[in-house]
Amino acid sequence: MSEVSIVIPNYNGISVLEACLRSVFQQTGVSFEVMVVDNGSSDDSREFIQEHFPQCILICLDRNYGFCRAVNEGIRQAESPYIILLNNDTKVHPDFARCLLDAIRKDNRRFSCAARMLQFQDQDREILDNAGDYYCALGWGIARGKGKPAEKYAREQEIFSSCAGAAIYRKDLLEKLGGFDEAHFAYLEDIDLSYRAKIHGYCHWYVPDAKVWHMGSATSGSRHNHFKVIHSAQNNIYLIYKNMPLLQLFLNAPLLIAGMVIKYLFFVKKGFGRDYRKGLLCGFRLCLANPDRKVRFCRGHVPAYVKIQLELWKNILLFIPSL
């Protein structure tokens, strides 16, 4: 049995698959299997993989079910105790998988470990794309270190959440917590999963030695578009509803409302105000449609809730420069 299963979701990614898969199959120091889960592509991605990378385990879905359904399918069929999730628009260092595996094995409390994601377009300068994700009491998520020199983020440390574009997870814990919530379709699903894991006492770490170059927006397009704005706003409402007990919701309500107002004004300026409003409305509908997915409050988790709340307040300081 392989030590780790590398699961790559794909949707019409034929233009980026070759670079990604070639780098993945150059991994050293670890035994692994590679699984590509295709979300009903129409660009001959499946045929390309079968012809050029027959060693891949190819899982074909009949249509595009989104990121969460795709990776859940891969996780279910994986036979390894550890799962690496990897975006198809990436290129990885030969030691990438080994570094992630070594890091997560250091402590049984580590639910996930995130790679150092670098901007593909700036390979010479090593500019960060993501060094883990943070979430704050304004209801905002942030890609830590985005756009900054990678050398400033060279220390392994605990983070709020691992970006699922390049991260390793324990399969047994993924199954215990129910995997990725497929109601998200895409965006914030990794923060939601990391939040749930933190409630249960687990933690997440950033591993700078695991290097990945990320193109970004290869499937969905530019940084801000109708799809992203709607789904991100929707999923943020759903994330808050799912993971915050009633007392924590009341405690954070003023800041959450302020965060939504600031976001709305930002998207109005960008020409996406209507999409943001639509996303918020869809988010409330999503909460009403999935009451059974709210994390059940447990007194034993109170210390974890306190720790999370302190993080939510502290992380606001990370956003002040961008306000």
Side-chain angles (χ1 to χ4, degrees):
M1 183 175 68
S2 300
E3 293 176 281
V4 62
S5 297
I6 302 175
V7 177
I8 304 171
N10 177 67
Y11 177 65
N12 290 339
I14 194 169
S15 64
V16 296
L17 277 172
E18 182 172 7
C20 176
L21 291 174
R22 286 199 183 282
S23 69
V24 166
F25 281 110
Q26 291 173 358
Q27 294 304 289
T28 61
V30 60
S31 62
F32 62 94
E33 64 177 0
V34 179
M35 311 174 75
V36 178
V37 186
D38 187 78
N39 252 327
S41 293
S42 58
D43 67 347
D44 297 326
S45 290
R46 302 177 181 188
E47 292 78 6
F48 175 82
I49 294 168
Q50 290 170 337
E51 179 180 353
H52 298 281
F53 297 95
Q55 63 270 53
C56 280
I57 299 170
L58 180 60
I59 302 171
C60 297
L61 305 181
D62 62 332
R63 60 184 176 86
N64 185 7
Y65 290 97
F67 177 87
C68 297
R69 168 73 180 275
V71 297
N72 281 345
E73 290 286 347
I75 292 165
R76 277 191 285 269
Q77 297 190 39
E79 296 184 352
S80 310
Y82 297 94
I83 307 290
I84 288 179
L85 299 184
L86 183 67
N87 279 1
N88 63 354
D89 59 342
T90 58
K91 181 180 178 182
V92 299
H93 189 277
D95 290 332
F96 160 75
R98 180 186 59 79
C99 290
L100 285 180
L101 187 59
D102 289 346
I104 200 168
R105 282 174 167 171
K106 287 181 181 179
D107 187 344
N108 289 334
R109 290 181 57 253
R110 294 188 179 186
F111 180 87
S112 69
C113 290
R116 183 199 300 211
M117 299 183 74
L118 301 157
Q119 293 183 8
F120 191 89
Q121 297 80 358
D122 291 291
Q123 293 189 43
D124 294 333
R125 295 194 300 146
E126 290 209 331
I127 301 300
L128 273 174
D129 187 64
N130 186 288
D133 289 330
Y134 282 134
Y135 192 70
C136 77
L138 290 168
W140 298 351
I142 186 174
R144 178 174 171 264
K146 190 175 183 69
K148 298 181 180 179
E151 61 188 22
K152 295 183 178 181
Y153 294 81
R155 182 170 63 90
E156 185 174 314
Q157 66 180 82
E158 189 171 352
I159 51 179
F160 190 92
S161 169
S162 294
C163 172
I168 191 169
Y169 299 82
R170 297 179 186 273
K171 183 180 179 182
D172 60 338
L173 296 183
L174 281 170
E175 292 173 338
K176 176 183 175 182
L177 294 186
F180 288 85
D181 187 340
E182 295 175 17
H184 281 286
F185 191 84
Y187 304 118
L188 298 179
E189 70 288 324
D190 42 11
I191 294 182
D192 168 61
L193 177 62
S194 295
Y195 203 130
R196 278 185 277 143
K198 289 173 76 69
I199 290 171
H200 286 80
Y202 298 105
C203 59
H204 315 282
W205 282 73
Y206 164 62
V207 184
D209 290 339
K211 296 172 67 173
V212 179
W213 290 269
H214 183 220
M215 296 180 194
S217 302
T219 298
S220 60
S222 60
R223 183 176 181 184
H224 299 305
N225 57 52
H226 300 291
F227 181 86
K228 281 186 176 183
V229 172
I230 291 171
H231 279 78
S232 295
Q234 166 192 284
N235 292 343
N236 193 41
I237 293 292
Y238 185 47
L239 183 157
I240 293 166
Y241 162 77
K242 279 184 61 182
N243 295 291
M244 289 189 184
L246 191 59
L247 179 60
Q248 193 175 27
L249 277 171
F250 280 126
L251 182 64
N252 290 306
L255 288 170
L256 292 172
I257 293 171
M260 290 176 195
V261 170
I262 295 170
K263 279 273 189 179
Y264 174 64
L265 295 176
F266 170 82
F267 283 120
V268 166
K269 186 177 180 181
K270 293 287 184 179
F272 295 104
R274 182 177 180 181
D275 295 312
Y276 187 72
R277 294 197 307 272
K278 180 180 179 180
L280 293 179
L281 181 59
C282 290
F284 287 112
R285 289 173 178 168
L286 196 60
C287 297
L288 293 174
N290 296 280
D292 57 317
R293 298 192 185 182
K294 184 171 177 62
V295 178
R296 181 174 295 181
F297 177 78
C298 173
R299 289 185 179 180
H301 294 156
V302 168
Y305 279 118
V306 171
K307 181 180 177 182
I308 290 169
Q309 185 58 50
L310 293 175
E311 273 193 88
L312 295 177
W313 282 331
K314 182 187 73 173
N315 289 345
I316 292 177
L317 299 176
L318 302 174
F319 292 83
I320 289 177
S322 63
L323 292 177

